[in-house]
Amino acid sequence: MRSRLAMLLRGFGVAGVLALTACAGVQTTQSGAIGINRTQYMSSMVPESQLRQEAETQYEQVIAQARTQGKLDRNASQVKRVQTITNKLVAQAGIFRPEAVNWPWEVHVISSDEVNAWCMPGGKIAVYTGLLDKIKPTDAELAAVLGHEIAHALREHARERVSQQMVTNVGLTILAAVTGSKATADLGSSLTSVMFTLPNSREHETEADRMGVELAARAGYDPRAAVTLWQKMAQAGGGGQPEFLSTHPSPASRSADLQQAAAQVMPLYEAARR
C-alpha cells in the first residue's frame, strides 16, 4: 500500500512540477545601444507584482531598523549626492524599460563599514557608507555602481533567480511528500536569499555591468569610470573582496569587457554633455 501511495505521489509530483513551475520566456528590457538580448525565464509561481510587494516590505524593514539604530541618512551631503546621481540615472531607465521611469524609486544611505550597495525589485536602493568612505568614488564611479544596481532591477535578475529557486523548492517539497521529510518554498525567504546571501551569477553581473555603463553615459557620466571603479573595488579589503566581486571574472577580464562597453557608449556620453 505504501509503495503504491509513493508511486501515486511521484506521478502527481511530476504533473505538479510541470503545472506549478512552468517558466515563460520573457524580455524584461529593451536591448539598448549596448545590446542586451538574452531571453529570460520566469516561473508563474513568482508574479512580478507579488515580488515587488515583498521587496517593498523587506526594504521598509531594513530602513526602519537603520532609522532605529541611528544609521539612516546621517550625512546630508552624502545623501544629496547619492540622490542626485540616482535621479539622473533613473531618468534614463526608460531606454531599457519605459514604465520603469514611473516606479516608486527610493534611495537611502545606511551607515555601515560594508562596501556595498543594492537595489531591490521595483527600485528600492540602499548605499552603505563603507562604499563611499573606503572606495572614495568620483561621481562618475558612483554612477557606475548605482547604474549597475539599477540594471539588476530593470532586468529583474532577482525575479529570475527566485524563479529558479522556487522551482527547485517545489521539487524538494514533492520529494519530501514522497519520503515523509519536510520542505518549504517561501517567496519572502527566497527573495532575501538572492538579495543578501547568494551571489549573483556571472551572466547577471555582466549584464548589469554593461547596462549600468550605458545608463551612466546617457546621464552624462564618463562610462570609462566603471573601469577605475571596479579596479578600486578589487583592491578594497586587502586579501578579501567586496560582495560585488564574488562571482565575476578576473579583474583583467572585467576591465577588458568594461573598456569595450565604455567605448561603445562614448557617443552617448558625448551627446549628453553637449
Side-chain angles (χ1 to χ4, degrees), residues 67-263:
R67 182 180 290 111
T68 299
Q69 295 173 344
K71 296 181 178 181
L72 185 69
D73 297 334
R74 293 173 58 181
N75 186 315
S77 62
Q78 283 185 337
V79 174
K80 182 177 180 180
R81 181 187 180 210
V82 169
Q83 289 177 340
T84 297
I85 295 172
T86 298
N87 290 341
K88 290 182 179 180
L89 293 168
V90 169
Q92 303 302 319
I95 296 298
F96 290 105
R97 190 164 182 161
E99 78 275 14
V101 176
N102 297 318
W103 286 357
W105 294 90
E106 187 175 349
V107 59
H108 291 281
V109 177
I110 297 175
S111 295
S112 169
D113 289 337
E114 187 176 349
V115 178
N116 203 4
W118 43 263
C119 182
M120 299 285 274
K124 305 298 186 181
I125 303 169
V127 176
Y128 295 169
T129 54
L131 171 66
L132 304 175
D133 297 337
K134 295 180 181 180
I135 301 299
K136 300 187 184 303
T138 65
D139 283 358
E141 289 171 342
L142 185 53
V145 174
L146 289 166
H148 176 99
E149 296 306 313
I150 288 170
H152 278 310
L154 295 176
R155 195 72 178 142
E156 290 190 60
H157 285 153
R159 183 177 168 219
E160 188 175 10
R161 295 170 67 208
V162 169
S163 291
Q164 296 166 354
Q165 192 172 94
M166 294 291 278
V167 167
T168 300
N169 285 345
V170 168
L172 291 175
T173 300
I174 291 170
L175 179 62
V178 175
T179 61
S181 60
K182 295 182 179 180
T184 60
D186 176 72
L187 183 62
S189 62
S190 293
L191 177 60
T192 300
S193 178
V194 303
M195 284 298 304
F196 303 115
T197 304
L198 299 175
N200 281 303
S201 71
R202 177 170 172 171
E203 187 171 48
H204 287 179
E205 288 292 272
T206 298
E207 286 183 349
D209 273 356
R210 294 174 181 174
M211 288 179 66
V213 163
E214 180 168 343
L215 287 171
R218 290 183 180 276
Y221 296 103
D222 190 336
R224 294 168 296 190
V227 178
T228 58
L229 178 278
W230 296 117
Q231 288 171 346
K232 287 182 178 181
M233 293 290 285
Q235 295 168 2
Q241 61 180 2
E243 179 72 18
F244 282 94
L245 306 180
S246 56
T247 60
H248 218 277
S250 67
S253 297
R254 187 172 208 166
S255 292
D257 187 74
L258 285 169
Q259 286 170 356
Q260 182 179 357

